[in-house]
Coordinates of all heavy atoms in Angstrom, one line a residue:
M1 N 0.8 -1.2 0.0 CA 0.0 0.0 0.0 C 0.9 1.3 0.0 O 0.5 2.3 -0.5 CB -0.9 -0.1 1.2 CG -2.2 0.6 1.1 SD -3.2 0.1 -0.2 CE -4.1 1.6 -0.5
E2 N 2.0 1.2 0.6 CA 3.0 2.3 0.7 C 3.4 2.7 -0.7 O 3.4 4.0 -1.1 CB 4.2 1.9 1.5 CG 5.2 3.0 1.6 CD 6.4 2.6 2.4 OE1 6.4 1.6 3.1 OE2 7.4 3.4 2.4
N3 N 3.7 1.8 -1.6 CA 4.0 2.2 -3.0 C 2.8 2.8 -3.8 O 3.0 3.7 -4.5 CB 4.5 0.9 -3.8 CG 5.9 0.5 -3.3 OD1 6.6 1.3 -2.7 ND2 6.2 -0.7 -3.5
T4 N 1.6 2.2 -3.5 CA 0.4 2.8 -4.1 C 0.2 4.2 -3.8 O -0.1 5.1 -4.6 CB -0.8 1.9 -3.8 OG1 -0.6 0.6 -4.2 CG2 -2.0 2.5 -4.4
V5 N 0.4 4.5 -2.5 CA 0.2 5.9 -2.0 C 1.3 6.8 -2.7 O 1.0 7.9 -3.1 CB 0.3 6.0 -0.5 CG1 0.4 7.4 0.0 CG2 -1.0 5.3 0.1
A6 N 2.5 6.3 -2.8 CA 3.6 7.1 -3.4 C 3.3 7.4 -4.8 O 3.5 8.6 -5.3 CB 4.9 6.4 -3.3
V7 N 2.8 6.4 -5.6 CA 2.5 6.6 -7.0 C 1.3 7.6 -7.1 O 1.3 8.5 -7.9 CB 2.1 5.3 -7.7 CG1 1.5 5.5 -9.0 CG2 3.4 4.4 -7.8
C8 N 0.3 7.5 -6.3 CA -0.8 8.4 -6.3 C -0.4 9.8 -6.0 O -0.8 10.8 -6.7 CB -1.9 8.0 -5.2 SG -2.8 6.5 -5.7
R9 N 0.5 10.0 -5.0 CA 0.9 11.4 -4.6 C 1.7 12.0 -5.8 O 1.6 13.1 -6.1 CB 1.8 11.3 -3.3 CG 1.0 11.0 -2.0 CD 2.0 10.9 -0.9 NE 2.7 12.1 -0.6 CZ 2.4 13.1 0.2 NH1 1.2 13.0 0.8 NH2 3.2 14.1 0.3
N10 N 2.6 11.2 -6.4 CA 3.4 11.7 -7.5 C 2.5 12.1 -8.6 O 2.7 13.2 -9.3 CB 4.4 10.7 -8.0 CG 5.6 10.5 -7.0 OD1 5.9 11.4 -6.2 ND2 6.2 9.3 -7.0
S11 N 1.5 11.4 -9.0 CA 0.6 11.7 -10.0 C -0.2 12.9 -9.7 O -0.4 13.8 -10.5 CB -0.4 10.5 -10.3 OG 0.4 9.4 -10.8
L12 N -0.7 13.0 -8.5 CA -1.5 14.2 -8.1 C -0.7 15.5 -8.1 O -1.2 16.5 -8.4 CB -2.1 13.9 -6.7 CG -3.2 12.8 -6.6 CD1 -3.5 12.5 -5.2 CD2 -4.5 13.3 -7.3
R13 N 0.6 15.4 -7.7 CA 1.5 16.5 -7.8 C 1.6 17.1 -9.2 O 1.9 18.2 -9.4 CB 2.8 16.2 -7.2 CG 2.9 16.1 -5.7 CD 4.3 15.8 -5.2 NE 4.2 15.5 -3.8 CZ 4.9 14.5 -3.2 NH1 5.6 13.7 -3.9 NH2 4.7 14.3 -1.9
R14 N 1.5 16.1 -10.2 CA 1.6 16.5 -11.6 C 0.2 16.9 -12.2 O 0.0 16.9 -13.3 CB 2.2 15.4 -12.4 CG 3.7 15.2 -12.0 CD 4.2 14.0 -12.6 NE 5.6 13.8 -12.4 CZ 6.2 13.4 -11.3 NH1 5.5 13.1 -10.2 NH2 7.5 13.3 -11.2
E15 N -0.8 17.1 -11.2 CA -2.1 17.4 -11.6 C -2.8 16.4 -12.5 O -3.6 16.8 -13.3 CB -2.2 18.8 -12.2 CG -1.7 19.9 -11.3 CD -1.8 21.3 -11.9 OE1 -2.3 21.5 -13.0 OE2 -1.3 22.2 -11.2
M16 N -2.5 15.1 -12.2 CA -3.1 14.1 -13.0 C -4.3 13.5 -12.1 O -4.2 13.5 -10.9 CB -2.1 13.0 -13.3 CG -1.0 13.4 -14.1 SD 0.4 12.2 -14.3 CE -0.4 11.0 -15.3
N17 N -5.3 13.0 -12.7 CA -6.3 12.2 -12.0 C -5.8 10.8 -11.8 O -5.1 10.3 -12.6 CB -7.6 12.2 -12.8 CG -8.3 13.5 -12.9 OD1 -8.3 14.3 -11.9 ND2 -8.8 13.9 -14.0
V18 N -6.2 10.2 -10.7 CA -5.7 8.8 -10.4 C -7.0 7.9 -10.4 O -7.9 8.2 -9.6 CB -5.0 8.8 -9.1 CG1 -4.5 7.4 -8.8 CG2 -3.8 9.8 -9.2
V19 N -6.9 6.8 -11.1 CA -7.9 5.8 -11.0 C -7.2 4.5 -10.7 O -6.2 4.2 -11.4 CB -8.7 5.6 -12.3 CG1 -9.7 4.5 -12.2 CG2 -9.4 6.9 -12.7
M20 N -7.6 3.8 -9.6 CA -6.9 2.6 -9.3 C -7.9 1.5 -9.1 O -9.0 1.8 -8.6 CB -6.0 2.7 -8.1 CG -6.7 3.3 -6.9 SD -5.6 3.6 -5.5 CE -5.6 2.1 -4.6
G21 N -7.6 0.3 -9.4 CA -8.4 -0.9 -9.1 C -7.8 -1.7 -8.0 O -6.7 -2.3 -8.2
W22 N -8.4 -1.6 -6.8 CA -7.8 -2.2 -5.7 C -8.8 -2.6 -4.7 O -9.8 -1.8 -4.5 CB -6.8 -1.2 -5.0 CG -5.8 -1.8 -4.1 CD1 -5.9 -2.2 -2.9 CD2 -4.4 -1.9 -4.5 NE1 -4.7 -2.6 -2.4 CE2 -3.7 -2.5 -3.4 CE3 -3.7 -1.7 -5.6 CZ2 -2.4 -2.8 -3.4 CZ3 -2.4 -1.9 -5.7 CH2 -1.7 -2.5 -4.5
V23 N -8.7 -3.7 -4.1 CA -9.7 -4.1 -3.0 C -9.2 -3.4 -1.7 O -8.1 -3.6 -1.3 CB -9.7 -5.6 -2.8 CG1 -10.6 -6.0 -1.6 CG2 -10.1 -6.3 -4.0
L24 N -10.1 -2.5 -1.2 CA -9.7 -1.8 0.0 C -10.6 -2.1 1.2 O -11.9 -2.1 1.1 CB -9.9 -0.3 -0.2 CG -9.0 0.4 -1.3 CD1 -9.4 1.9 -1.5 CD2 -7.6 0.3 -0.9
G25 N -10.0 -2.5 2.3 CA -10.7 -2.6 3.5 C -10.7 -1.3 4.2 O -10.1 -0.3 3.7
D26 N -11.3 -1.2 5.4 CA -11.3 0.1 6.1 C -9.9 0.6 6.4 O -9.6 1.8 6.2 CB -12.1 0.0 7.4 CG -13.6 -0.2 7.2 OD1 -14.1 0.2 6.1 OD2 -14.3 -0.8 8.1
D27 N -9.0 -0.2 6.8 CA -7.6 0.2 7.2 C -6.9 0.7 5.9 O -6.2 1.7 6.0 CB -6.9 -1.0 7.8 CG -7.4 -1.3 9.2 OD1 -8.1 -0.5 9.8 OD2 -7.1 -2.5 9.7
E28 N -7.0 0.0 4.8 CA -6.3 0.4 3.6 C -6.9 1.7 3.1 O -6.2 2.6 2.6 CB -6.4 -0.7 2.5 CG -5.7 -1.9 2.8 CD -6.5 -2.9 3.6 OE1 -7.7 -2.7 3.9 OE2 -6.0 -4.0 3.9
Y29 N -8.2 1.9 3.2 CA -8.9 3.1 2.8 C -8.3 4.3 3.6 O -7.9 5.3 3.0 CB -10.4 3.0 2.9 CG -11.1 4.3 2.7 CD1 -11.2 4.8 1.4 CD2 -11.6 5.0 3.7 CE1 -11.9 6.0 1.1 CE2 -12.3 6.2 3.5 CZ -12.4 6.7 2.2 OH -13.0 7.9 2.0
R30 N -8.3 4.1 4.9 CA -7.8 5.2 5.8 C -6.3 5.5 5.5 O -6.0 6.7 5.4 CB -8.0 4.9 7.2 CG -9.4 5.1 7.7 CD -9.5 5.0 9.2 NE -9.2 3.6 9.8 CZ -10.1 2.6 9.8 NH1 -11.3 2.8 9.4 NH2 -9.7 1.5 10.3
Y31 N -5.6 4.5 5.2 CA -4.1 4.7 4.9 C -4.0 5.5 3.6 O -3.2 6.4 3.5 CB -3.4 3.4 4.8 CG -1.9 3.4 4.6 CD1 -1.1 3.6 5.7 CD2 -1.4 3.4 3.3 CE1 0.3 3.7 5.4 CE2 -0.1 3.5 3.1 CZ 0.8 3.6 4.1 OH 2.1 3.7 3.9
L32 N -4.8 5.1 2.6 CA -4.7 5.8 1.3 C -5.1 7.3 1.5 O -4.5 8.2 1.0 CB -5.6 5.1 0.3 CG -5.8 5.8 -1.0 CD1 -4.5 5.7 -1.8 CD2 -6.8 5.0 -1.9
V33 N -6.3 7.5 2.1 CA -6.8 8.8 2.2 C -5.8 9.7 3.0 O -5.5 10.8 2.7 CB -8.2 8.8 2.9 CG1 -8.6 10.2 3.3 CG2 -9.2 8.2 2.0
D34 N -5.3 9.2 4.1 CA -4.3 9.9 4.9 C -3.1 10.2 4.1 O -2.5 11.3 4.3 CB -4.0 9.1 6.2 CG -5.1 9.1 7.2 OD1 -6.1 9.9 7.1 OD2 -5.0 8.3 8.1
G35 N -2.7 9.3 3.3 CA -1.4 9.4 2.5 C -1.5 10.4 1.4 O -0.5 11.0 0.9
V36 N -2.7 10.6 0.8 CA -2.8 11.6 -0.3 C -3.6 12.9 0.0 O -3.7 13.7 -0.9 CB -3.5 10.9 -1.5 CG1 -2.7 9.7 -2.0 CG2 -4.9 10.5 -1.3
R37 N -4.1 13.0 1.2 CA -4.9 14.1 1.6 C -4.3 15.5 1.2 O -5.0 16.3 0.7 CB -5.2 14.1 3.1 CG -6.3 15.1 3.5 CD -6.6 15.0 5.0 NE -6.8 13.7 5.5 CZ -8.0 13.1 5.4 NH1 -9.0 13.6 4.8 NH2 -8.2 11.9 6.0
S38 N -3.0 15.6 1.5 CA -2.4 16.9 1.2 C -2.2 17.2 -0.3 O -2.1 18.4 -0.7 CB -1.0 17.0 1.9 OG -0.1 16.0 1.2
E39 N -2.3 16.2 -1.1 CA -2.2 16.4 -2.6 C -3.5 16.5 -3.3 O -3.6 17.0 -4.4 CB -1.4 15.3 -3.2 CG 0.0 15.0 -2.5 CD 0.9 16.2 -2.7 OE1 0.8 17.0 -3.6 OE2 1.8 16.3 -1.8
A40 N -4.6 15.9 -2.7 CA -5.9 15.7 -3.4 C -6.9 16.7 -2.9 O -7.0 17.0 -1.7 CB -6.4 14.3 -3.2
T41 N -7.6 17.3 -3.9 CA -8.7 18.2 -3.5 C -10.0 17.4 -3.2 O -10.8 17.9 -2.3 CB -9.0 19.2 -4.6 OG1 -9.3 18.5 -5.8 CG2 -7.8 20.1 -4.8
A42 N -10.1 16.3 -3.8 CA -11.3 15.4 -3.5 C -10.9 14.0 -3.8 O -10.1 13.7 -4.7 CB -12.5 15.8 -4.4
I43 N -11.4 13.1 -3.0 CA -11.2 11.7 -3.1 C -12.5 11.0 -3.2 O -13.4 11.1 -2.4 CB -10.4 11.1 -1.9 CG1 -9.0 11.8 -1.8 CG2 -10.2 9.6 -2.1 CD1 -8.3 11.5 -0.5
H44 N -12.7 10.2 -4.3 CA -13.9 9.5 -4.6 C -13.6 8.0 -4.7 O -12.7 7.7 -5.4 CB -14.6 10.0 -5.8 CG -14.9 11.5 -5.9 ND1 -15.9 12.0 -5.2 CD2 -14.2 12.5 -6.4 CE1 -15.9 13.3 -5.4 NE2 -14.8 13.6 -6.1
T45 N -14.4 7.2 -4.0 CA -14.2 5.8 -4.1 C -15.5 5.1 -4.6 O -16.6 5.6 -4.2 CB -13.7 5.1 -2.8 OG1 -14.7 5.3 -1.8 CG2 -12.4 5.7 -2.3
F46 N -15.3 4.1 -5.4 CA -16.5 3.4 -6.0 C -16.2 1.9 -5.8 O -15.1 1.5 -6.1 CB -16.7 3.7 -7.4 CG -16.9 5.2 -7.7 CD1 -15.8 6.0 -8.0 CD2 -18.1 5.8 -7.6 CE1 -16.0 7.4 -8.2 CE2 -18.3 7.1 -7.8 CZ -17.3 7.9 -8.1
T47 N -17.1 1.2 -5.4 CA -17.0 -0.3 -5.3 C -18.0 -0.9 -6.3 O -19.3 -0.6 -6.2 CB -17.3 -0.7 -3.9 OG1 -16.4 -0.1 -3.0 CG2 -17.2 -2.3 -3.8
L48 N -17.6 -1.7 -7.2 CA -18.5 -2.5 -8.1 C -18.9 -3.7 -7.3 O -18.1 -4.5 -7.0 CB -17.8 -2.8 -9.4 CG -17.2 -1.6 -10.1 CD1 -16.5 -2.1 -11.4 CD2 -18.3 -0.6 -10.5
A49 N -20.2 -3.8 -7.1 CA -20.7 -4.9 -6.2 C -22.0 -5.5 -6.7 O -23.1 -5.2 -6.2 CB -20.9 -4.3 -4.8
P50 N -21.9 -6.3 -7.7 CA -23.1 -7.0 -8.2 C -23.6 -8.0 -7.1 O -22.8 -8.4 -6.2 CB -22.6 -7.7 -9.4 CG -21.2 -7.9 -9.3 CD -20.7 -6.7 -8.5
R51 N -24.8 -8.5 -7.2 CA -25.2 -9.6 -6.4 C -24.2 -10.8 -6.5 O -23.5 -10.9 -7.5 CB -26.6 -10.1 -6.7 CG -27.7 -9.1 -6.6 CD -29.1 -9.8 -6.9 NE -29.0 -10.8 -8.0 CZ -29.2 -10.6 -9.2 NH1 -29.5 -9.3 -9.7 NH2 -29.2 -11.5 -10.2
L52 N -24.1 -11.5 -5.4 CA -23.1 -12.6 -5.4 C -23.3 -13.6 -6.6 O -22.3 -14.0 -7.2 CB -23.1 -13.4 -4.1 CG -22.1 -14.5 -4.0 CD1 -20.7 -14.1 -4.1 CD2 -22.3 -15.2 -2.6
D53 N -24.5 -13.9 -6.9 CA -24.7 -14.9 -8.0 C -24.3 -14.3 -9.3 O -23.8 -15.0 -10.2 CB -26.2 -15.3 -8.0 CG -27.2 -14.2 -8.3 OD1 -27.1 -13.1 -7.7 OD2 -28.0 -14.3 -9.2
V54 N -24.4 -13.0 -9.5 CA -23.9 -12.3 -10.7 C -22.4 -12.3 -10.7 O -21.8 -12.6 -11.8 CB -24.5 -10.9 -10.9 CG1 -23.9 -10.2 -12.0 CG2 -26.0 -11.0 -11.0
A55 N -21.8 -12.0 -9.6 CA -20.3 -12.0 -9.5 C -19.7 -13.3 -9.8 O -18.6 -13.4 -10.3 CB -19.9 -11.5 -8.1
L56 N -20.4 -14.4 -9.4 CA -19.9 -15.8 -9.6 C -20.1 -16.3 -11.0 O -19.6 -17.4 -11.4 CB -20.5 -16.7 -8.6 CG -20.0 -16.4 -7.2 CD1 -20.9 -17.3 -6.2 CD2 -18.6 -16.7 -7.0
A57 N -20.9 -15.6 -11.8 CA -21.3 -16.1 -13.1 C -20.3 -15.7 -14.2 O -19.6 -14.7 -14.1 CB -22.7 -15.5 -13.6
N58 N -20.1 -16.6 -15.2 CA -19.3 -16.2 -16.3 C -20.0 -15.1 -17.1 O -21.2 -15.2 -17.4 CB -19.1 -17.5 -17.2 CG -18.2 -18.5 -16.5 OD1 -17.3 -18.2 -15.8 ND2 -18.6 -19.8 -16.8
R59 N -19.2 -14.1 -17.5 CA -19.7 -13.0 -18.3 C -18.9 -12.9 -19.6 O -17.7 -12.9 -19.5 CB -19.8 -11.7 -17.5 CG -20.7 -11.8 -16.3 CD -21.0 -10.3 -15.9 NE -20.7 -10.2 -14.5 CZ -20.8 -9.1 -13.8 NH1 -21.2 -8.0 -14.4 NH2 -20.5 -9.0 -12.5
G60 N -19.5 -12.8 -20.7 CA -18.8 -12.7 -21.9 C -18.0 -13.9 -22.2 O -18.5 -15.0 -21.9
R61 N -16.9 -13.9 -22.9 CA -16.1 -15.0 -23.3 C -15.2 -15.6 -22.2 O -14.8 -16.8 -22.2 CB -15.2 -14.7 -24.5 CG -16.0 -14.3 -25.7 CD -15.1 -14.0 -26.8 NE -15.8 -13.4 -27.9 CZ -15.3 -13.1 -29.0 NH1 -14.0 -13.2 -29.3 NH2 -16.1 -12.5 -30.0
R62 N -14.9 -14.8 -21.2 CA -14.0 -15.3 -20.2 C -14.7 -16.2 -19.1 O -15.8 -15.8 -18.6 CB -13.4 -14.1 -19.4 CG -12.4 -14.4 -18.4 CD -11.7 -13.2 -17.9 NE -10.7 -13.5 -16.9 CZ -10.9 -13.7 -15.7 NH1 -12.2 -13.6 -15.2 NH2 -10.0 -14.0 -14.8
K63 N -14.2 -17.3 -18.9 CA -14.7 -18.3 -17.9 C -13.9 -18.1 -16.6 O -12.7 -18.1 -16.6 CB -14.6 -19.7 -18.4 CG -15.2 -19.9 -19.7 CD -16.7 -20.0 -19.7 CE -17.2 -20.4 -21.0 NZ -18.6 -19.8 -21.3
L64 N -14.7 -18.0 -15.5 CA -14.0 -17.9 -14.2 C -13.5 -19.3 -13.8 O -14.2 -20.3 -14.0 CB -15.0 -17.4 -13.1 CG -15.5 -16.0 -13.3 CD1 -16.6 -15.7 -12.2 CD2 -14.4 -15.0 -13.1
T65 N -12.4 -19.3 -13.2 CA -11.8 -20.6 -12.6 C -12.5 -20.8 -11.2 O -13.0 -19.8 -10.6 CB -10.3 -20.5 -12.5 OG1 -10.0 -19.5 -11.5 CG2 -9.6 -20.2 -13.8
E66 N -12.4 -21.9 -10.7 CA -12.9 -22.2 -9.4 C -12.1 -21.4 -8.3 O -12.7 -21.0 -7.3 CB -12.9 -23.7 -9.0 CG -13.6 -24.1 -7.8 CD -15.0 -23.5 -7.7 OE1 -15.7 -23.6 -8.7 OE2 -15.4 -23.0 -6.7
E67 N -10.8 -21.2 -8.6 CA -10.0 -20.4 -7.7 C -10.6 -18.9 -7.6 O -10.6 -18.3 -6.6 CB -8.6 -20.4 -8.1 CG -7.6 -19.6 -7.2 CD -6.2 -19.7 -7.7 OE1 -5.6 -20.8 -7.5 OE2 -5.7 -18.7 -8.2
E68 N -10.9 -18.4 -8.8 CA -11.4 -17.0 -8.8 C -12.8 -17.0 -8.1 O -13.1 -16.0 -7.4 CB -11.6 -16.6 -10.3 CG -10.3 -16.3 -11.0 CD -10.4 -16.1 -12.5 OE1 -11.2 -16.9 -13.1 OE2 -9.6 -15.3 -13.0
R69 N -13.6 -18.0 -8.3 CA -14.9 -18.0 -7.7 C -14.8 -18.1 -6.1 O -15.5 -17.4 -5.4 CB -15.7 -19.2 -8.2 CG -16.3 -19.0 -9.5 CD -17.3 -20.2 -9.8 NE -18.1 -19.8 -11.0 CZ -17.6 -20.2 -12.3 NH1 -16.5 -20.9 -12.4 NH2 -18.4 -19.9 -13.3
E70 N -13.8 -18.8 -5.7 CA -13.6 -18.9 -4.3 C -13.1 -17.6 -3.7 O -13.5 -17.2 -2.6 CB -12.5 -20.0 -3.9 CG -12.3 -20.2 -2.4 CD -13.6 -20.5 -1.7 OE1 -14.6 -21.1 -2.2 OE2 -13.6 -20.2 -0.5
R71 N -12.2 -16.9 -4.4 CA -11.7 -15.6 -4.0 C -12.9 -14.6 -3.9 O -13.0 -13.8 -3.0 CB -10.7 -15.1 -5.0 CG -10.1 -13.8 -4.6 CD -8.9 -13.4 -5.5 NE -8.2 -12.2 -5.0 CZ -8.1 -11.1 -5.7 NH1 -8.5 -11.1 -7.0 NH2 -7.5 -10.1 -5.2
I72 N -13.8 -14.6 -4.9 CA -15.0 -13.8 -4.8 C -15.8 -14.1 -3.6 O -16.3 -13.2 -2.9 CB -15.9 -14.0 -6.1 CG1 -15.1 -13.4 -7.4 CG2 -17.2 -13.3 -6.0 CD1 -15.7 -13.8 -8.7
R73 N -16.0 -15.4 -3.3 CA -16.8 -15.8 -2.1 C -16.1 -15.2 -0.9 O -16.8 -14.7 0.1 CB -17.0 -17.3 -2.0 CG -17.9 -17.9 -3.0 CD -18.1 -19.4 -2.8 NE -18.7 -20.0 -4.0 CZ -18.1 -20.6 -5.0 NH1 -16.8 -20.8 -5.0 NH2 -18.8 -21.1 -6.0
V74 N -14.8 -15.3 -0.8 CA -14.1 -14.9 0.4 C -14.2 -13.4 0.5 O -14.5 -12.8 1.6 CB -12.6 -15.3 0.3 CG1 -11.8 -14.5 1.3 CG2 -12.4 -16.8 0.5
H75 N -14.1 -12.6 -0.6 CA -14.3 -11.2 -0.5 C -15.7 -10.8 -0.1 O -15.8 -9.9 0.8 CB -13.9 -10.5 -1.8 CG -12.5 -10.4 -2.1 ND1 -12.0 -10.0 -3.3 CD2 -11.4 -10.7 -1.3 CE1 -10.7 -10.0 -3.3 NE2 -10.3 -10.4 -2.1
Y76 N -16.7 -11.5 -0.6 CA -18.0 -11.2 -0.1 C -18.2 -11.5 1.3 O -18.9 -10.7 2.1 CB -19.0 -11.9 -1.0 CG -19.4 -11.1 -2.3 CD1 -18.5 -10.8 -3.3 CD2 -20.7 -10.6 -2.5 CE1 -18.8 -10.0 -4.4 CE2 -21.0 -9.9 -3.6 CZ -20.1 -9.6 -4.5 OH -20.4 -8.8 -5.6
A77 N -17.7 -12.6 1.8 CA -17.8 -13.0 3.2 C -17.1 -12.0 4.1 O -17.6 -11.7 5.2 CB -17.2 -14.4 3.4
M78 N -16.0 -11.4 3.6 CA -15.3 -10.3 4.4 C -16.0 -9.0 4.3 O -15.7 -8.1 5.1 CB -13.9 -10.1 3.8 CG -13.0 -11.3 4.0 SD -11.4 -11.2 3.1 CE -10.8 -9.5 3.5
G79 N -16.9 -8.8 3.4 CA -17.7 -7.6 3.3 C -17.1 -6.5 2.4 O -17.6 -5.4 2.4
V80 N -16.1 -6.8 1.7 CA -15.4 -5.8 0.8 C -16.4 -5.3 -0.3 O -16.1 -4.2 -0.8 CB -14.1 -6.3 0.2 CG1 -13.1 -6.6 1.3 CG2 -14.3 -7.5 -0.7
H81 N -17.4 -6.0 -0.6 CA -18.4 -5.6 -1.6 C -19.3 -4.5 -1.0 O -20.1 -3.9 -1.8 CB -19.2 -6.8 -2.1 CG -20.1 -7.3 -1.1 ND1 -19.6 -8.0 0.0 CD2 -21.5 -7.3 -1.0 CE1 -20.6 -8.4 0.8 NE2 -21.8 -8.0 0.2
D82 N -19.3 -4.3 0.3 CA -20.2 -3.3 0.9 C -19.5 -2.5 2.0 O -19.7 -2.6 3.2 CB -21.4 -4.1 1.5 CG -22.5 -3.2 2.0 OD1 -22.6 -2.0 1.5 OD2 -23.2 -3.5 2.9
P83 N -18.5 -1.7 1.5 CA -17.7 -1.0 2.5 C -18.5 0.2 3.1 O -19.5 0.6 2.6 CB -16.5 -0.4 1.6 CG -17.2 -0.3 0.3 CD -18.1 -1.4 0.1
A84 N -18.0 0.7 4.2 CA -18.6 1.8 4.9 C -18.2 3.1 4.3 O -18.6 4.2 4.8 CB -18.1 1.8 6.4
F85 N -17.5 3.1 3.2 CA -17.0 4.4 2.6 C -17.3 4.3 1.1 O -17.5 3.3 0.5 CB -15.5 4.6 2.8 CG -14.7 3.4 2.4 CD1 -14.3 3.2 1.0 CD2 -14.3 2.4 3.3 CE1 -13.6 2.1 0.6 CE2 -13.6 1.3 2.9 CZ -13.2 1.1 1.6
G86 N -17.4 5.5 0.5 CA -17.6 5.6 -0.9 C -18.9 5.2 -1.4 O -19.9 5.0 -0.6
D87 N -19.0 5.1 -2.8 CA -20.3 4.7 -3.4 C -20.2 3.3 -3.9 O -19.2 2.8 -4.4 CB -20.5 5.6 -4.6 CG -20.7 7.1 -4.3 OD1 -21.6 7.3 -3.4 OD2 -20.0 7.9 -4.9
V88 N -21.3 2.6 -3.7 CA -21.4 1.2 -4.1 C -22.3 1.1 -5.3 O -23.4 1.6 -5.3 CB -21.9 0.3 -3.0 CG1 -22.1 -1.2 -3.4 CG2 -21.0 0.3 -1.7
I89 N -21.8 0.4 -6.4 CA -22.5 0.3 -7.6 C -22.9 -1.1 -7.9 O -22.0 -2.0 -7.9 CB -21.7 0.9 -8.8 CG1 -21.3 2.4 -8.5 CG2 -22.4 0.7 -10.1 CD1 -20.3 2.9 -9.5
D90 N -24.2 -1.4 -8.0 CA -24.6 -2.8 -8.3 C -24.6 -2.9 -9.8 O -25.5 -2.4 -10.5 CB -26.0 -3.0 -7.8 CG -26.6 -4.4 -8.1 OD1 -25.9 -5.2 -8.8 OD2 -27.7 -4.7 -7.7
N91 N -23.5 -3.5 -10.3 CA -23.3 -3.7 -11.7 C -23.6 -5.1 -12.2 O -23.2 -5.6 -13.1 CB -22.0 -3.2 -12.2 CG -20.9 -4.0 -11.6 OD1 -20.9 -4.4 -10.4 ND2 -19.8 -4.2 -12.4

């Protein structure tokens, strides 16, 4: 997470927008926000959180492996699909 914050800070100093795809728990979110607060005027977070049955389904041509399905189940059990911060999008 330390490297991620450093990359974000460097990009923000260059007046670039930063978009990252990362699973954030509460601790990681606070670490990120605290780390970039001095560089960012606004921080927006979005969580893509379809229903579990949709998340576990194959979409398009790509087939999910059983390992990927298990990882999705673990993330949903941990609650990362419904964080206490940011906007949640049911996609």
Side-chain angles (χ1 to χ4, degrees):
M1 209 53 211
E2 182 179 347
N3 289 340
T4 300
V5 169
V7 169
C8 289
R9 288 176 61 92
N10 287 337
S11 297
L12 292 167
R13 285 184 189 133
R14 290 171 176 77
E15 299 182 6
M16 299 169 73
N17 293 320
V18 177
V19 177
M20 57 185 267
W22 204 279
V23 176
L24 296 176
D26 291 338
D27 292 340
E28 293 87 4
Y29 172 75
R30 282 191 294 276
Y31 184 86
L32 174 65
V33 169
D34 289 346
V36 301
R37 188 180 314 277
S38 64
E39 306 298 334
T41 57
I43 299 168
H44 304 280
T45 60
F46 302 92
T47 300
L48 302 180
R51 294 184 328 267
L52 181 58
D53 63 311
V54 173
L56 292 172
N58 292 322
R59 296 197 233 178
R61 295 180 190 184
R62 186 171 178 276
K63 305 286 187 207
L64 293 173
T65 66
E66 190 51 42
E67 182 178 286
E68 290 169 320
R69 284 190 171 88
E70 184 57 29
R71 183 170 185 239
I72 292 167
R73 287 184 194 99
V74 168
H75 282 171
Y76 272 64
M78 291 171 51
V80 297
H81 68 292
D82 190 23
F85 52 86
D87 296 310
V88 177
I89 300 169
D90 177 356
N91 64 322

